[in-house]
Amino acid sequence: MFYLVYERDPFVRVDICEALVGEFEGKPVVECDTLESLEQGLAVYSDRLQQTCVAFAVSADESEAELEWLSRMAPVGRLVILADEMPPDFPRRCDAVYLSKPFSTHGLIAAIRDGLSDQLASLT
């Protein structure tokens, strides 16, 4: 499995990456601070998207652009959306797991490993 972490806040991003490195030792974890860097990360693993996990944090400042970007993103092995609250215009994807902020390391790992969350993103 390959892990891409999109989070604009550098402190939160580092915490998420450290948790993933600790839990999934030896697996690649890539920090993405912009949508462009996430796009580049996805391009690197384009032939292995089903083995790729994306932790995507939605920020209040950039939510419109981020939600639009998410609606166009190719399906990946696991998509975990991290947000203060589920945006009303969230692009519903049956493959996405929603995890509300603040979250614990245990909650993050469960969402990534098992698809368990406080609220599943569904088509209904």
Side-chain angles (χ1 to χ4, degrees), residues 78-109:
R78 171 105 40 214
L79 173 60
V80 178
I81 306 296
L82 312 165
D84 291 326
E85 60 183 42
M86 180 74 79
D89 51 352
F90 177 73
R92 302 292 179 175
R93 294 175 55 150
C94 60
D95 63 336
V97 176
Y98 170 74
L99 189 62
S100 62
K101 292 180 179 180
F103 51 86
S104 66
T105 300
H106 175 75
L108 173 66
I109 298 303

Side-chain angles (χ1 to χ4, degrees), residues 3-63:
Y3 301 92
L4 302 177
V5 177
Y6 170 75
E7 166 62 66
R8 294 173 54 84
D9 183 317
F11 299 109
V12 176
R13 187 173 59 248
V14 166
D15 286 347
I16 292 170
C17 290
E18 286 178 355
L20 294 177
V21 167
E23 184 69 23
F24 305 107
E25 190 174 330
K27 302 295 183 184
V29 176
V30 179
E31 292 185 50
C32 304
D33 61 346
T34 65
L35 292 175
E36 292 78 20
S37 64
L38 179 57
E39 186 78 45
Q40 291 169 353
L42 287 170
V44 168
Y45 299 111
S46 63
D47 60 332
R48 300 166 279 185
L49 287 180
Q50 289 307 310
Q51 299 171 344
T52 303
C53 173
V54 175
F56 191 101
V58 177
S59 67
D61 297 342
E62 298 291 326
S63 65

